Amino acid sequence: MVIFASTKKEIISNLADILESPIEYLKGVGPLRGDTLRKELGIFTFRDLLEHYPLRYIDKTQVSTISQIDFQTDYIQIKGRFIFSDIVGEKRARRLVARFRDNTGIIELVWFQGISWVQKIINLDDEFLVYGKVSFFNGQAQISHPEMEAVKDRQQTGKSYLEPIYPTTEKLKAKNMNARQIGKLTYTLLSLLQQKDIPENIPENILQELRLMPRFTAFGAIHFPKDMDEQKAALRRLKFEEFFLAQVRLNITRIGRSRHSQGIKFDKVGSIFKEFYEHHLPFSLTNAQKRVLKEIRQDTARGHQMNRLLQGDVGSGKTIVALLSMLIAVDNGYQCCMMAPTEILAAQHYKSLQELMKDMPGVNIALLTGSVKTRERRDILEKTAAGEIQILTGTHALIEDKVVFKNLGLAIVDEQHRFGVAQRARLWKKNSVPPHILVMTATPIPRTLAMTAYGDLDYSVMDELPPGRQPITTVHRYETQRMLVMDFLREEIHKGRQVYIIYPLIEESEKLDYENLMNGYELVKTYFPEDKYSISMVHGRQTPELKETNMQRFVNGDTQIMVSTTVIEVGVNVPNASVMVIESTEKFGLSQLHQLRGRVGRGSEKSYCILMTGKQLGKDARERIKIMCATNDGFMIAEKDLELRGPGDIEGTRQSGELNFKLVSLVADRNILEAAKEYAETLISEDEKLEKPENAPLKNYLMRRGKTNWSKIS
Ligand code: ADP
Ligand code: MG
């Protein structure tokens, strides 16, 4: 015991940072509990415990009576005695039921787990305080799994009257480590810590301007607040800190790279650009297009590499922005490439670019995909290497090592979320000085999410559609209305339009989805017999060649109906298609529905999106359908998607490690996020190396806590 104590002291005093101490060295923990804390809650060190925040607080001063309980009652604390407890039910229904009485009435308390442990605590002699959430079962009020404590055992853990309740697990409870016990450990820890152990990391001026609580105070107050106002202030401070530090790190990377990377300098806007812009632009640009073009122009004129993400809703006109950017590169004597995720899309880009540039024969445009024949491929590769082709469009075939450019100045990646980071990095190596990179995506990402997931890229948004677009009318129809829906499709087809009918994704293992699609296909054929109508079908089990052929027939207008899974989701442009029917809509996420819907409404005709479902619908599915019917705005939909699903599932950000915040919520804390981002950006742009004396605390903190790549800025 003595040996243990001295070893413990030695270890702690040898650590520069007491918060790095292993958790078992905290008084009251020891090896066994330490093990459980590590396994159950991931608490390895003192710091982990300090950052294990309360779920809620019990206001010890508030004791209610049982007679006060009504259907509005949420959490409640009552004081009284047990009059009875017994185990009832068997197997899964086995539970401990107790009756608890105060001067005004009786309430039932129930436990489904940890029964033997609870039984040991319950005794009929002592007065108890019981705290928990009231629920109603057959009209009877009850509290399941309440917190409880004998009044005689209650000791003040601090000055505070609010008692923190921590997240815990059944296993921990079984080891006598319930929410309150964890509170006691936290209290022990806080009484060990001094101001120097929790140094300030936010510059004084920001603290002042935003009236943020000092860091040391905040940690005390989040665990043991004197009232809920103090708790709120502490929480606000710690949330700000969490996001501010993340933003500072991202900005150091982003600003550092943008200032110090070597990059190609596009000195001028030359004659090709001017000629095209003044005489061959088929429409005038939207303000959003002009703004983004200007951002790109400025970014590529500085002599540093551009790494920019361009987000624009489906149909916002990214292609023309891509072309104009490429013409700037061409004017400066450089080559460009534009990469798309599928052959169909690459071919479409090629076609649009050729069409746009048809009166400007001086610029050579070529298409390179996996299906280009050997002879032609050799020719393209030679001309690319010689610099004779200025704009090369294609699929990922473009990043193969065989593709050598004479002087690649700008690489554009369309529909970015289908390309991995590693693949993008290969583009960088296509030139001795890395080319500028423009990543375009039509998957709207909520701003708060983009700030974190892509915070190391510069970021442009096109939040405006070209004028004259007719909004797509979206409606919800039930299976029972199928006949009417099919009649409507027939009308549209007879007007010369084309229609999509989309089924949920087919994956290798999803036998059921496959059957649904096949049944659906048969059903469509009964409404649209093959002697009068022609139908294309595309799904993931087909060979790429077959997919391509079927798709191409629809694109060319040879077929009127496209029955498909979501493989057609990205970027396909068939302006003559005016109706999209989505089957089993409840199986799709919001962003995906929006992407799918973006396939129609691309021409001058009025377009429709019909969301089909059965009668039985969950609450979330209903909500998604309601949103889809209410708006066409991709950014609004993305925000809703984030609210409904949380950040983990949003397309394109799944692999991002930057989204794991302990306190801050990307949905609810928008104001804090915006403020933290702005302060971090200003701070780093004014003092990139954190050399100003007022930024020393921040710098020290970042150096101590690692994660920041300082080699980049020193
Ligand atoms: P996306 O951003 O989805 O890639 P596209 O670049 O394919 O959008 O553009 C969609 C359609 O809008 C195209 O037919 C394009 O010619 C047209 N378009 C783009 N910009 C404008 C504009 N400023 N005015 C009118 N039509 C435009
Ligand atoms: Mg596009």
Side-chain angles (χ1 to χ4, degrees):
M1 196 65 205
V2 177
I3 294 169
F4 180 59
S6 76
T7 326
K8 175 167 72 175
K9 214 176 228 163
E10 215 168 273
I11 290 179
I12 292 179
S13 65
N14 280 344
L15 282 168
D17 187 346
I18 183 176
L19 290 176
E20 296 302 324
S21 318
I23 193 64
E24 65 240 51
Y25 297 130
L26 186 68
K27 187 163 166 274
V29 180
L32 269 176
R33 282 177 159 187
D35 208 39
T36 318
L37 283 170
R38 275 194 293 272
K39 284 193 186 124
E40 291 291 300
L41 296 174
I43 295 177
F44 285 77
T45 61
F46 286 15
R47 183 190 317 283
D48 295 334
L49 181 65
L50 188 68
E51 293 178 359
H52 186 64
Y53 300 110
L55 275 179
R56 53 174 196 274
Y57 306 81
I58 297 179
D59 185 348
K60 284 186 180 175
T61 58
Q62 292 286 322
V63 178
S64 311
T65 62
I66 292 173
S67 65
Q68 285 173 326
I69 294 173
D70 63 21
F71 286 101
Q72 316 272 300
T73 310
D74 191 27
Y75 283 93
I76 194 171
Q77 177 167 250
I78 48 185
K79 189 167 160 183
R81 288 172 196 277
F82 286 96
I83 47 175
F84 164 84
S85 76
D86 197 13
I87 294 175
V88 299
E90 277 181 38
K91 293 196 177 148
R92 278 163 150 234
R94 191 176 124 97
R95 60 202 187 272
L96 177 66
V97 176
R99 284 178 201 288
F100 189 79
R101 174 180 68 84
D102 69 5
N103 294 332
T104 68
I106 292 173
I107 188 171
E108 204 170 84
L109 311 180
V110 190
W111 289 263
F112 298 93
Q113 274 156 341
I115 291 178
S116 50
W117 178 68
V118 177
Q119 264 185 322
K120 269 184 232 149
I121 296 175
I122 291 181
N123 72 64
L124 305 185
D125 301 327
D126 288 330
E127 195 174 30
F128 277 83
L129 277 157
V130 163
Y131 175 89
K133 190 173 175 169
V134 175
S135 57
F136 286 86
F137 189 71
N138 290 336
Q140 288 288 316
Q142 65 172 34
I143 304 178
S144 52
H145 286 252
E147 308 274 344
M148 56 178 186
E149 189 178 22
V151 173
K152 70 175 166 55
D153 293 340
R154 171 163 286 195
Q155 352 159 314
Q156 293 287 77
T157 38
K159 294 175 289 235
S160 127
Y161 290 99
L162 287 171
E163 186 175 297
I165 300 295
Y166 292 88
T168 177
T169 66
E170 291 309 322
K171 277 210 182 111
L172 279 165
K173 281 187 191 165
K175 298 223 156 115
N176 198 14
M177 294 271 283
N178 63 9
R180 287 203 168 138
Q181 292 298 326
I182 293 176
K184 283 183 185 155
L185 296 179
T186 310
Y187 189 77
T188 310
L189 173 60
L190 281 168
S191 48
L192 271 179
L193 298 177
Q194 300 166 15
Q195 190 115 20
K196 71 164 174 46
D197 300 319
I198 307 185
E200 187 53 71
N201 53 18
I202 297 177
E204 186 60 32
N205 67 313
I206 300 180
L207 289 181
Q208 298 275 337
E209 278 171 41
L210 296 177
R211 293 165 202 260
L212 294 175
M213 193 182 264
R215 189 156 185 260
F216 181 70
T217 322
F219 272 105
I222 190 98
H223 289 288
F224 299 100
K226 69 174 187 293
D227 52 35
M228 283 315 278
D229 284 343
E230 195 187 57
Q231 188 270 348
K232 277 202 193 94
L235 188 59
R236 183 167 157 268
R237 141 84 213 200
L238 292 172
K239 281 182 172 180
F240 182 88
E241 169 183 325
E242 186 172 45
F243 203 64
F244 176 75
L245 293 177
Q247 286 293 309
V248 164
R249 290 194 177 102
L250 284 172
N251 276 287
I252 287 173
T253 312
R254 184 171 62 84
I255 294 178
R257 187 173 58 205
S258 115
R259 280 184 191 167
H260 306 297
S261 68
Q262 206 194 356
I264 298 161
K265 190 165 178 182
F266 292 165
D267 287 311
K268 59 175 182 205
V269 173
S271 55
I272 298 175
F273 181 97
K274 282 186 189 139
E275 163 77 10
F276 180 80
Y277 196 88
E278 281 158 25
H279 304 295
H280 304 292
L281 204 57
F283 34 67
S284 46
L285 297 184
T286 64
N287 286 328
Q289 284 170 325
K290 283 185 199 158
R291 189 185 63 235
V292 170
L293 196 62
K294 200 165 145 196
E295 283 165 0
I296 293 168
R297 165 78 199 115
Q298 284 168 349
D299 220 6
T300 50
R302 300 169 314 134
H304 300 301
Q305 191 204 11
M306 171 176 80
N307 276 281
R308 183 169 288 276
L309 175 70
L310 167 55
Q311 249 200 73
D313 208 346
V314 272
S316 58
K318 293 184 290 295
T319 315
I320 194 79
V321 172
L323 174 61
L324 286 163
S325 311
M326 291 196 284
L327 294 185
I328 296 175
V330 173
D331 265 336
N332 284 276
Y334 287 93
Q335 294 171 288
C336 311
C337 68
M338 182 159 168
M339 191 158 67
T342 64
E343 297 222 344
I344 296 171
L345 261 180
Q348 264 180 16
H349 279 153
Y350 177 63
K351 228 171 91 186
S352 331
L353 295 184
Q354 272 198 322
E355 174 63 25
L356 286 162
M357 295 290 287
K358 64 178 185 297
D359 298 322
M360 301 201 51
V363 180
N364 288 326
I365 306 175
L367 173 66
L368 185 67
T369 65
S371 55
V372 170
K373 298 283 173 297
T374 320
R375 214 39 152 357
E376 199 187 342
R377 167 182 303 267
R378 198 182 309 134
D379 185 50
I380 291 175
L381 290 179
E382 270 173 26
K383 285 184 172 155
T384 304
E388 288 162 32
I389 288 172
Q390 285 107 329
I391 296 179
L392 186 60
T393 57
T395 54
H396 51 268
L398 291 184
I399 54 176
E400 283 167 16
D401 291 335
K402 271 173 269 167
V403 184
V404 179
F405 291 85
K406 185 168 173 233
N407 56 358
L408 182 65
L410 170 65
I412 296 180
V413 183
D414 199 16
E415 303 301 350
Q416 169 274 342
H417 63 265
R418 302 282 158 122
F419 283 101
V421 174
Q423 287 172 303
R424 255 185 281 154
R426 285 178 70 180
L427 280 174
W428 290 30
K429 301 203 190 95
K430 292 264 173 210
N431 205 50
S432 54
V433 177
H436 299 297
I437 308 278
L438 178 65
V439 172
M440 306 198 298
T441 170
T443 308
I445 305 164
R447 229 184 101 68
T448 50
L449 205 57
M451 261 151 59
T452 39
Y454 298 110
D456 64 331
L457 295 180
D458 287 299
Y459 179 59
S460 293
V461 183
M462 294 209 309
D463 46 5
E464 186 187 353
L465 292 182
R469 288 281 164 81
Q470 294 198 49
I472 302 162
T473 298
T474 302
V475 294
H476 177 198
R477 293 288 179 261
Y478 292 101
E479 192 54 47
T480 47
Q481 297 163 296
R482 178 171 294 280
M483 195 86 124
L484 294 173
V485 171
M486 291 300 152
D487 286 346
F488 178 70
L489 296 190
R490 197 172 293 123
E491 273 172 42
E492 286 289 305
I493 290 170
H494 288 170
K495 281 191 217 159
R497 309 282 105 78
Q498 290 166 282
V499 305
Y500 292 99
I501 304 177
I502 307 295
Y503 285 82
L505 180 72
I506 289 192
E507 286 179 17
E508 225 67 66
S509 56
E510 300 276 332
K511 215 170 144 229
L512 199 65
D513 277 352
Y514 184 68
E515 280 168 17
N516 283 344
L517 176 80
M518 288 309 162
N519 293 340
Y521 181 55
E522 292 305 321
L523 188 68
V524 172
K525 280 201 285 193
T526 63
Y527 286 100
F528 299 97
E530 280 177 300
D531 53 342
K532 286 203 206 133
Y533 301 89
S534 46
I535 307 175
S536 286
M537 180 164 64
V538 172
H539 62 77
R541 286 189 181 180
Q542 291 169 334
T543 61
E545 293 77 30
L546 187 57
K547 248 189 273 183
E548 206 67 27
T549 316
N550 290 343
M551 193 67 226
Q552 207 53 54
R553 290 182 64 212
F554 187 70
V555 172
N556 297 342
D558 298 339
T559 57
Q560 297 146 319
I561 303 172
M562 165 60 81
V563 175
S564 155
T565 59
T566 49
V567 291
I568 58 118
E569 194 180 329
V570 171
V572 185
N573 190 26
V574 183
N576 188 46
S578 65
V579 189
M580 160 135 318
V581 179
I582 300 179
E583 300 284 350
S584 305
T585 305
E586 68 275 12
K587 292 197 181 169
F588 294 89
L590 262 182
S591 301
Q592 209 179 13
L593 288 173
H594 180 66
Q595 277 297 312
L596 286 169
R597 179 169 60 183
R599 299 307 109 223
V600 294
R602 303 175 84 79
S604 51
E605 303 305 329
K606 171 82 188 145
S607 295
Y608 304 87
C609 175
I610 303 173
L611 306 174
M612 300 292 295
T613 70
K615 273 276 177 248
Q616 295 283 329
L617 270 185
K619 190 167 146 270
D620 275 6
R622 229 169 252 291
E623 183 66 22
R624 288 198 297 273
I625 290 170
K626 203 173 108 197
I627 294 163
M628 286 297 292
C629 294
T631 183
N632 276 303
D633 180 339
F635 284 91
M636 194 137 112
I637 288 171
E639 297 284 345
K640 291 285 180 192
D641 203 19
L642 180 61
E643 270 172 42
L644 287 175
R645 293 201 296 172
D649 287 331
I650 303 289
E651 179 116 39
T653 59
R654 233 165 260 157
Q655 303 99 320
S656 172
E658 300 292 340
L659 300 173
N660 301 323
F661 295 105
K662 277 193 170 139
L663 288 172
V664 90
S665 147
L666 294 179
V667 179
D669 296 317
R670 181 102 41 110
N671 292 342
I672 294 178
L673 302 179
E674 296 282 345
K677 174 183 190 286
E678 235 157 72
Y679 276 97
E681 233 166 52
T682 313
L683 190 143
I684 299 303
S685 64
E686 286 170 359
D687 184 20
E688 186 194 326
K689 296 185 180 174
L690 299 178
E691 286 166 339
K692 290 186 186 170
E694 63 264 34
N695 293 331
L698 174 60
K699 181 168 188 168
N700 290 339
Y701 182 86
L702 290 176
M703 306 248 291
R704 260 181 30 169
R705 296 300 310 278
K707 279 196 198 164
T708 307
N709 189 352
W710 290 94
S711 62
K712 280 204 180 112
I713 67 164
S714 50

